[in-house]
Amino acid sequence: MEREGEQEIEAAQHAERNGATDIAFTPPAELVPVPFTGNQNGRPEASPARFDSPRRSDVDRWGRSEKTRSIVRSIYEPLYKHWFRVEWEGFENLPKEGGALLVANHAGAIPSDAPAIMHGIERDLGRPVYGLAEYLFRRMPVVGTMWSRVGGVAANPDNAYRLLKDDKELVLVFPEGAKGTGKLYKDRYQLARFGRGGFVEIAMRAGVPIIPIAVVGAEESMPIIWKNKPLARLTGIPYFPITANMLALGPLLGAVGYFPSKFKIRVLPPIYFSDEPDEERYSRSRVMDATESVRTEIQDALYDMLRTRKSVWFG
Amino acid sequence: MRVLVTGLSTFWGGRLAQTLEAREDVEVIVGLDTKEPRVPLERTEFVRADSSYSILQRIVKATQVDTILHTHLIVDSTRVSGRTLHEINVIGTMNLLAAAGMPGSPVRKVIVKSSGLIYGASSHDPYFFREDAHRLVSPRTNVERSLVEVESFLRDFASDNPHISVNLLRFANVLGDHLDSPFSQALRLAVVPEILGFDPRLQFVHEADVVGALMYATGHDVPGVFNVAGDGNIPWSEVCKIVGKRRIPLPPILTNFAAEPLRMLGIVNLPPEMLDLLRFGRGLDNRRYKKAGFRYRYSTAGTIEAFAQGIRLKRTVGTNSPAYRYEREVEDFFRHSPAVARRE
C-alpha cells in the first residue's frame, strides 16, 4: 500500500533519529496499566471495564441497513420478477465468502442495472452487496441517505479497499460511471472508457478477484434520446436526459417509469491477479492492460448475448 | 518525569494535571495558563503566563521539564473570537515549540492534542480517515486553518529535532459528563438540531479515553500521528434516540443562514464545522493507536450511552457540586509553607 509504505518509512526514519532499534509503532512488550482519569474531585473512577452498548438501529459502519434493505427488496421483488424478468447465467461464479470486486456495464438514464444486480445477489446468495457510486449522492438530501441505507458507498479508493480487504465484502462498481448511463440510445452496448483503471488497482491492492458482469436489457429500459447541456449545468448533475420514457409516458411518469425490457445478466469467471497485494505501487501499464482485458471480456460477452437475443422485450 | 502542561485552566489541562499527580514517577508538574486553574490540584505548580517565547524559554530552562503536554489548542470555535483562536493555537504553539527546541533544551517528548477537525468533512471524504490522508477540500473555517498550521509547525519541529519524540493525537468529537462542547450542548437541548434529509454517521470518544490516550503517550514511547476515536460509528438519528431527544430539522440549503437566529438567541452554538459534520459526518480509522498498544474503554456506542446516563442522573440530582475557586495564598501555603507536614 502506497500510504502504508510511507508510514513505515516515516516510522523507521523516526526510530533511526531516536537511535532506537525497533520500529516506532510496535507495541511495548508489557503494557503498563495507565491510571484512568480522576473525576472532578481527583478520585480515580472505579471500574476499568470496557464500556460498550447495544445499538438501537442496524445501520452498519458503511451506512447500510439490512432492515431498510429487506423492505426495499420486498418492494422491488415484483419489478424484478415480473417487469424485468431477470435471468442469471453463471451465478455460480459469485463467491459465497471473501471479498470480490464485481465489475459491470452501466446503462439507463437512471441506471436500472445496479438494483437488479444487487437484488439478485442478496436474494439468492444471501450476501450484502455494496455499490460504489458518485460522490454526488452524498450531497443530496433524503436521496443520499436512502442510497446509503440500501448499500451505496461513495466511490473513494480507501472505502473500496477497506470493504474488500478488511470487511471481505462484495463490492459492485461501474467503471464507466456517468459516461455509461449518460450515453445516447444509438451508442447502446458500446462500453465507454473504463476510467483510469482505479478499480483494477484496488482489487490488486486488496488481493481480491474481479468478477466481470455483463448486463443486457438496462439500455432499453430507459434510453436517452437527447441530452440538454444548459439544464445539466443549471442543476449541477452530470447530464440532463430526455428519455424515450418521457416522450411515451409524459415528463413525470417517464422520469421514473422503466420500459419492461427483458434483463439478462451473465456472470463471467473471476479474474485473479498474480500481483502481490499491498504493493507500494503497481505498474501503470500492468493496470491499464488488466483494465482493458476486463473491458474486452464484458464487451465480448455483451456482443455474444446480443447475438442470441431475439426480442428486446422477451429475450 | 518532569511535565509541563499547557492550558492548565482548560478542562483538559486540569484533568491531565490531576491524573499526572496520581502517578509517582512524575516528579514535577508545571501548569501554564493565563487564567487560574478551575480544579483542585495537590502539587501542580501553576504559572500564570502568556505564551510569549521569552517567558516559555525561561520556564522550560528553569524547571528542566522533559515532557510537554500541549493541550491548549482550541478546537471549539464558539469559545473565543477568531483572533484569540489564532493567538492561542498558532502563535502559542509556535512559541512553545521554539522554546522546546532551543539549544540545550531539556525537552525530550512533546505530546499535542489536536483534533479530527483537521480532516474537514465533505462529500469527497473517505468514510474512515487514516492518519496520512490528505484532505481534498481546503479548510474553510478558522479553527481548521489554525490546526493545519499547528500541525505543519509540528512536522517541521519533529524533523528539526530528531532527538525529541513527537506525538500528535487527533481526537474525534468528545462526549462526557463534564465537558462542554457544541455537541454536548446540542444533545442537552430539549430538541436537537439536524439537517433535513441528512443522517450522517458520527464517531465519538469519551473524555476518559481522551485523558487515557494522552496519558498513554506520556508513559510510552509512541512517536507519530494517531487518530483517537471510539470503535464504530452511529447515525445522528440514533445518537439522538439513545440520548432520548427529538430532532428539529434545519433546511438543507442555506443551513448556516438558518442557524444564525439560534446562535443569536443563544439557544445553541452551531459552528460551521459542526454543520458540515451534521451533513457528511466523519470517521477516523482508529487502528494505528490500538496497534501501538492503547486500549479504549469506550466504544462510540458506549460513549453515547454513558453520556445519556449522565444526563439522566443530572436531571434527577442536579448539578450542585460546590465550585472550586483558586486562591493563590492557600495553594502557596500548602505547597511551600514549612508549617505543612510532608511525608518522606
Side-chain angles (χ1 to χ4, degrees):
Chain A
M1 190 85 223
E2 195 173 306
R3 285 165 176 170
E4 214 71 59
E6 267 172 31
Q7 279 167 26
E8 264 159 39
I9 293 165
E10 234 176 68
Q13 280 170 349
H14 205 111
E16 223 173 80
R17 277 192 252 121
N18 288 341
T21 44
D22 58 337
I23 293 182
F25 293 123
T26 48
E30 196 188 348
L31 295 179
V32 186
V34 181
F36 279 105
T37 168
N39 60 17
Q40 208 68 318
N41 304 317
R43 284 192 299 270
E45 275 169 25
S47 76
R50 188 175 153 74
F51 204 97
D52 207 341
S53 167
R55 293 281 306 272
R56 308 283 172 101
S57 80
D58 71 334
V59 177
D60 71 6
R61 58 176 155 170
W62 302 103
R64 183 182 183 278
S65 156
E66 179 55 36
K67 266 184 214 149
T68 313
R69 192 68 203 138
S70 72
I71 295 169
V72 170
R73 271 201 301 271
S74 60
I75 298 168
Y76 185 73
E77 176 66 23
L79 208 64
Y80 178 89
K81 220 164 147 183
H82 303 298
W83 196 257
F84 295 128
R85 293 146 291 144
V86 184
E87 228 173 79
W88 288 78
E89 212 181 308
F91 198 83
E92 67 283 355
N93 286 327
L94 294 164
K96 290 195 178 58
E97 55 192 23
L101 187 59
L102 317 177
V103 178
N105 58 314
H106 212 16
I110 299 171
S112 51
D113 38 24
I117 296 172
M118 288 166 85
H119 182 89
I121 296 177
E122 294 196 348
R123 195 189 63 172
D124 299 334
L125 198 66
R127 290 188 66 176
V129 180
Y130 292 84
L132 299 183
E134 291 267 352
Y135 296 113
L136 178 73
F137 279 102
R138 275 187 95 183
R139 289 205 294 272
M140 299 204 277
V142 186
V143 178
T145 306
M146 271 317 290
W147 166 76
S148 171
R149 293 292 171 272
V150 298
V153 172
N156 180 299
D158 277 6
N159 290 348
Y161 173 80
R162 197 165 169 171
L163 272 166
L164 290 166
K165 171 99 181 182
D166 302 329
D167 296 4
K168 300 183 171 46
E169 301 285 4
L170 293 178
V171 177
L172 173 64
V173 68
F174 301 97
E176 293 172 277
K179 293 191 298 300
T181 55
K183 63 178 174 287
L184 297 174
Y185 186 58
K186 66 179 172 63
D187 300 322
R188 61 191 181 277
Y189 298 115
Q190 300 296 321
L191 290 184
R193 181 163 57 81
F194 263 25
R196 282 162 293 179
F199 72 97
V200 167
E201 211 172 317
I202 289 297
M204 286 178 174
R205 268 193 211 303
V208 299
I210 280 183
I211 302 176
I213 296 179
V215 185
V216 164
E219 295 272 15
E220 289 87 359
S221 68
M222 196 180 272
I224 299 178
I225 297 176
W226 184 60
K227 284 185 283 189
N228 188 311
K229 268 199 190 125
L231 273 174
R233 221 170 294 146
L234 202 71
T235 47
I237 53 177
Y239 54 90
F240 193 95
I242 305 299
T243 61
N245 308 51
M246 291 179 186
L247 300 183
L249 306 167
L252 286 179
L253 189 61
V256 290
Y258 288 113
F259 291 142
S261 52
K262 168 81 179 171
F263 265 52
K264 278 193 175 163
I265 303 176
R266 182 183 288 181
V267 185
L268 303 172
I271 301 169
Y272 293 91
F273 298 104
S274 53
D275 309 64
E276 279 293 305
D278 291 327
E279 286 287 313
E280 206 171 299
R281 218 168 62 75
Y282 291 89
S283 120
R284 207 71 316 249
S285 57
R286 172 92 187 89
V287 169
M288 290 321 283
D289 277 354
T291 307
E292 199 43 42
S293 79
V294 173
R295 187 176 171 276
T296 316
E297 272 197 42
I298 297 178
Q299 185 71 75
D300 289 350
L302 284 174
Y303 287 154
D304 187 53
M305 289 157 84
L306 291 171
R307 261 193 286 271
T308 54
R309 182 169 77 162
K310 293 191 191 79
S311 151
V312 170
W313 317 111
F314 304 107
Chain B
M1 205 188 300
R2 307 169 75 87
V3 187
L4 174 72
V5 179
T6 66
L8 186 68
S9 73
T10 65
F11 176 79
W12 299 115
R15 270 294 176 91
L16 276 164
Q18 286 181 329
T19 316
L20 285 165
E21 285 184 343
R23 282 181 63 142
E24 286 185 358
D25 57 337
V26 179
E27 302 149 48
V28 171
I29 307 156
V30 182
L32 200 67
D33 210 314
T34 52
K35 283 175 267 166
E36 288 162 345
R38 290 182 301 170
V39 291
L41 294 163
E42 299 273 330
R43 58 189 179 104
T44 303
E45 297 285 348
F46 165 56
V47 195
R48 188 201 298 267
D50 68 0
S51 51
S52 70
Y53 171 59
S54 57
I55 296 179
L56 285 168
Q57 203 183 13
R58 279 176 61 198
I59 293 172
V60 168
K61 240 184 213 150
T63 56
Q64 288 290 306
V65 290
D66 49 36
T67 303
I68 293 181
L69 265 166
H70 186 34
T71 71
H72 204 199
L73 282 179
I74 307 235
V75 295
D76 175 0
S77 64
T78 61
R79 222 152 265 272
V80 293
S81 71
R83 193 174 161 69
T84 322
L85 185 94
H86 180 80
E87 284 295 319
I88 292 176
N89 284 6
V90 180
I91 308 298
T93 307
M94 192 177 76
N95 286 330
L96 181 73
L97 292 179
M102 70 188 169
S105 157
V107 176
R108 287 294 167 270
K109 187 187 272 190
V110 173
I111 300 156
V112 178
K113 176 184 171 294
S114 182
S115 160
L117 278 175
I118 189 128
Y119 299 115
S122 80
S123 60
H124 283 61
D125 292 343
Y127 287 11
F128 296 92
F129 279 104
R130 283 196 312 241
E131 284 83 350
D132 48 10
H134 297 289
R135 57 181 297 161
L136 296 158
V137 183
S138 56
R140 288 188 301 135
T141 64
N142 279 332
V143 62
E144 289 177 17
R145 262 196 296 273
S146 76
L147 287 176
V148 169
E149 262 189 271
V150 164
E151 291 208 359
S152 84
F153 290 156
L154 210 68
R155 263 193 301 279
D156 291 349
F157 176 80
S159 67
D160 291 348
N161 298 280
H163 58 288
I164 299 180
S165 150
V166 177
N167 176 294
L168 174 68
L169 299 176
R170 294 177 182 150
F171 291 93
N173 292 292
V174 189
L175 282 182
D177 293 348
H178 309 295
L179 179 76
D180 200 26
S181 73
F183 266 105
S184 67
Q185 277 175 17
L187 286 170
R188 285 190 185 108
L189 293 173
V191 278
V192 179
E194 65 164 1
I195 298 176
L196 184 71
F198 288 91
D199 194 8
R201 289 176 310 289
L202 295 166
Q203 238 179 344
F204 291 98
V205 59
H206 193 271
E207 53 186 34
D209 274 337
V210 175
V211 175
L214 288 163
M215 288 303 295
Y216 185 79
T218 313
H220 296 84
D221 189 29
V222 280
V225 185
F226 300 95
N227 291 330
V228 183
D231 284 340
N233 57 16
I234 293 190
W236 183 236
S237 61
E238 193 184 339
V239 174
C240 298
K241 232 175 266 168
I242 296 172
V243 183
K245 296 291 166 81
R246 278 173 198 282
R247 284 164 290 145
I248 179 166
L250 296 169
I253 49 166
L254 301 173
T255 315
N256 206 19
F257 188 69
E260 200 50 43
L262 295 177
R263 287 186 203 127
M264 271 161 43
L265 290 170
I267 296 173
V268 64
N269 281 318
L270 289 171
E273 50 274 7
M274 182 173 167
L275 292 178
D276 283 347
L277 274 179
L278 288 182
R279 192 179 294 262
F280 300 118
R282 185 195 302 128
L284 305 183
D285 187 335
N286 66 2
R287 291 178 290 186
R288 193 195 267 189
Y289 208 34
K290 280 200 253 178
K291 220 185 251 172
F294 178 65
R295 295 286 166 268
Y296 288 87
R297 273 182 72 193
Y298 293 81
S299 67
T300 288
T303 302
I304 300 164
E305 178 62 36
F307 178 75
Q309 290 178 5
I311 290 184
R312 275 180 234 129
L313 178 68
K314 241 176 230 170
R315 204 159 45 206
T316 316
V317 301
T319 49
N320 50 359
S321 56
Y324 166 80
R325 255 192 74 217
Y326 181 86
E327 305 268 7
R328 169 120 263 171
E329 289 74 16
V330 177
E331 299 292 336
D332 276 350
F333 168 76
F334 279 119
R335 282 175 179 72
H336 306 297
S337 167
V340 175
R342 291 188 178 78
R343 269 172 289 164
E344 283 172 291

